Amino acid sequence: GVTFCPKELHGRYYEMAPNVVPMDYTKDPDVKLPMQLIINMPELKENPFKERIVESFSEDGEGSLSFNDFVDMFSVLSEMAPRELKAIYAFKIYDFNTDNFICKADLEKTLNKLTREELTAEEITLVCEKVIEEADMDGDGKLGYADFENMISKAVLHLQIR
Amino acid sequence: MRELALFELNCVCYCSHPPEGCKDFQQADTEHLSRWKRWKRTSSKSLKKALSEVKGFSSYLVLWRHDIHSIEGKFGTGIQSYFSFLRFLVLLNFIIFILMFSFITLPIIISKYGIFNNTIVNISPKYIDNCTIYEPSGNKGLVYFYTYLQDLLSGTGILEVTSLFYGYYTIDAIWISTMRYNLPLAYLLATFAYLALSLLWIIKRSVEGFKQNLVHDADPFQSYCNKVFAGWDFCITDPNAARLKHRSLQCELQTDLQEEKLKQKIAERTMKEKLRIYSLRIFINIIVLAILSGFFYSIYRVTVFSQENSNDVDNANFQANLLVQYLPSMVITLANFIGPLIFSFLIRFEDYTPAFEIKMTLLRCVFLRLANIGVLLFSLWSQISDCGTDKCKPCGYNYKLYPCWESDVGQEMYKLMIFDFIVILAVPLFVDFPRMLLVTHCSCKLVQWFGLQEFGISDSVLEIIYGQTICWIGTFFAPLLPAIATIKYFVIFYIKKICLKHTRKPAARPIRASSSNFFFLLVLLIGLILAFIPVGVSIARIPSSKACGPFRNFNTSWEVIPDTIVTFPTGLQQVLFGMASEAFAVPFFMIICIIMFYFTALARAHKRVVEQLREQLVLHGFTFQEMLMCDLA
């Protein structure tokens, strides 16, 4: 488990684009780095959801992160963040069409990212049906935040008992 | 536990400044303690530090630590468990070799150099007859060069009279000043010791895997959601590890779907279909048994043929002689190769779930491999105890053909081991390497479709378990065999590693490490228990050879022990004889059964408690979330 100081984070943000990011943040400059630079960071490079992660933390929704967004992202992703906060952002990440519901289309995209599109269409449909069957509590055919949070807490608890 | 990291990143950078108030807090705490307690605390701290440093240092001494680590990173934990298993066998064989060497061979070597006195076995008069005629060919002076090669490969000739085989150990006792070192007793006790050591070590290693298997089986609850939303490990930064994870998730999902489909299919079966399936299964099992019997019978006939024709020492044709000697090994290897292919072909018709299919095929392959060795030994014994027409009257065994039968059995085990080694060396060289060259340089479609050989973990594991069983059986008859086994596994490690990197692709279906570890050790344990039988029979049933070896004075090898006990004080004697009688054995056995039932019941109760606690936690968590939501609303 590791903690990191803001200085280190600033260093990482700076070294991605040294000619754009200022060294001095006291005047609160309005600098945003594009998604392409962020998703090339070693911590995120192999993550299938890297684009969604960066998009969920970016204020303008297009994927460019200001330094504040950058710090937010790493604090939610670190070990220290409370589980509820993680669940909120996890829901945002899996909600591809940002309609505040994880519907079947979102699940299909999630699966394709997870398995690098190696599953057949029939298999994807079956898995999506199973997931909705397991997690949908209010019966609307898609996962709202309440369903998702409930399911995640059970998943974490189950896995922790091993 | 790495797989459980839900949205957690291990950032590479970390802060090197400890929290501000930390140091002050520690100092303030110690001021209140007395001097004694302060000293205790500082000494325990320094002891812990020293222990952790020793641990850190000793981890560098672990054999192949870096290699196995890199294999785990690139190929996953399933394949890594295979290599850890190899490392375990290397260590086990090395320890067994040290045991046998220091207690049996070393005293003889020392005494032969004249440092201690020794007495050679005196044979009682009733045996002095034809039983003691034993003329190993040894060094006959001027011989052709290839006889040395033949001797090396089949353990006859020069090799037969070395300390490798049982026949060399003819010394009865070694006198160290006034103490008598009873060599036959040491030989027998060392045998028991290495068997017991292997048993205890394997059980100790399998306990961890067993615990996991017992408490947690496949979780049917919410398994799809868990895999989709909590399946990805956010700590992965290596592209190879990422590729592996993608593949394992894909395979897990596909397997789950398949099982689901099959379960539905099974539930929908009509009575007619069920009858058809069951009769088909019975039929296929009969076919499997028939095939196995076919293999066993051919091994028996080939062994008998080989024994009859290789005793013909004057056979001048070097290659033919070697071929005849190695015929049983070749047939066994062929059976071990063809059997699994047939089994995996047949099991498709039996319509089992994929998981059960794998288990069933493995079970059949394990049985085939271990039973082959058993049949070989059985056929050897039938030759040795072939007592028709008074062949064994003076000595109890067929003394004309087998004046020193233990060495012969040792030689067969030696040949099996050498041939196994040759095959494991030859297959990568002559099959995998050309195949890899073809696939990389020839782009024609047929070759590409054929592709690289898969690294089948189960097959490789069964190979080495087969070799280890041979070693265990053979060590009684050839005490230095573990040394050969150590070298063999040492070389196999590097060969398999090179094979994995260059000529093979990892199995399409990634295997979980915990279950596979337990499975390997379980099969190894089965091999060990099967190895007890030949060794036990040789020690206790078959009369020891009167022409060679340390047990010439005794009827059977086991007789050393009663003989030694007779020299103990009478009280101790009575206790020991009492322990061996039925009056003791039956109640002892019953008590062991009761204890076993107790522990099984305890394990089941623990498992139930774990399930209940798990459910409670889930419910508790659910209610807590509900409360939170109500609060916010």
Side-chain angles (χ1 to χ4, degrees), chain B residues 131 166 397 402-407 543-549 551-552:
Chain B
C131 293
Y166 177 93
Y397 55 91
Y402 301 100
C404 187
W405 63 266
E406 284 101 339
S407 281
S544 51
S545 25
K546 306 294 174 284
C548 64
F551 300 108
R552 291 150 90 181

Side-chain angles (χ1 to χ4, degrees), chain B residues 386-515:
Chain B
D386 182 14
C387 289
T389 66
D390 288 343
K391 274 191 235 169
C392 347
K393 215 157 185 202
C395 326
Y397 55 91
N398 193 345
Y399 63 91
K400 284 220 177 84
L401 286 176
Y402 301 100
C404 187
W405 63 266
E406 284 101 339
S407 281
D408 279 306
V409 177
Q411 278 164 3
E412 282 301 324
M413 296 292 115
Y414 174 79
K415 279 186 265 187
L416 274 181
M417 184 166 277
I418 296 284
F419 191 70
D420 190 40
F421 192 25
I422 292 175
V423 165
I424 294 183
L425 282 176
V427 165
L429 205 57
F430 296 116
V431 176
D432 292 334
F433 195 62
R435 190 168 170 172
M436 176 202 75
L437 285 176
L438 260 180
V439 169
T440 33
H441 294 294
C442 169
S443 48
C444 83
K445 269 203 174 153
L446 186 67
V447 168
Q448 292 299 326
W449 173 78
F450 215 44
L452 288 174
Q453 175 88 327
E454 255 183 35
F455 188 85
I457 298 181
S458 330
D459 292 326
S460 317
V461 166
L462 287 183
E463 251 175 16
I464 56 183
I465 290 178
Y466 164 76
Q468 186 55 39
T469 311
I470 296 174
C471 177
W472 275 322
I473 297 176
T475 305
F476 176 70
F477 307 103
L480 297 187
L481 214 58
I484 302 178
T486 309
I487 299 173
K488 176 178 159 194
Y489 289 135
F490 197 84
V491 173
I492 288 178
F493 182 91
Y494 289 106
I495 291 179
K496 289 286 178 185
K497 193 170 148 226
I498 296 173
C499 245
L500 187 64
K501 279 202 183 138
H502 300 285
T503 65
R504 291 191 176 199
K505 58 177 198 273
R509 180 183 272 239
I511 303 181
R512 257 207 330 209
S514 58
S515 56

Side-chain angles (χ1 to χ4, degrees), chain B residues 126-262:
Chain B
K126 67 173 171 166
Y127 294 132
I128 296 184
D129 247 4
N130 308 325
C131 293
T132 56
I133 300 176
Y134 174 53
E135 287 158 23
S137 7
N139 226 337
K140 276 208 182 112
L142 217 58
V143 287
Y144 284 112
F145 155 75
Y146 56 71
T147 41
Y148 289 116
L149 192 63
Q150 182 176 331
D151 290 341
L152 183 70
L153 286 175
S154 52
T156 50
I158 313 170
L159 225 51
E160 193 167 345
V161 293
T162 57
S163 57
L164 179 59
F165 291 109
Y166 177 93
Y168 171 83
Y169 300 90
T170 51
I171 290 179
D172 189 31
I174 297 175
W175 297 94
I176 306 172
S177 51
T178 46
M179 286 194 303
R180 184 171 176 266
Y181 185 78
N182 191 345
L183 195 81
L185 185 66
Y187 198 102
L188 207 61
L189 289 181
T191 307
F192 294 152
Y194 86 73
L195 289 171
L197 172 75
S198 313
L199 184 69
L200 290 172
W201 202 343
I202 294 174
I203 288 181
K204 174 177 164 287
R205 269 182 85 100
S206 56
V207 160
E208 287 110 28
F210 185 63
K211 267 190 236 166
Q212 282 217 349
N213 265 21
L214 190 65
V215 173
H216 166 258
D217 282 321
D219 214 346
F221 183 81
Q222 206 183 265
S223 61
Y224 287 93
C225 284
N226 288 354
K227 290 194 178 92
V228 171
F229 293 115
W232 183 259
D233 181 5
F234 274 56
C235 298
I236 292 179
T237 50
D238 174 39
N240 277 322
R243 181 173 46 92
L244 266 168
K245 191 76 192 174
H246 280 296
R247 196 132 42 97
S248 95
L249 274 172
Q250 173 203 334
C251 282
E252 275 189 45
L253 285 169
Q254 280 174 333
T255 322
D256 280 346
L257 284 174
Q258 261 184 335
E259 299 240 4
E260 189 77 35
K261 226 189 272 182
L262 210 63

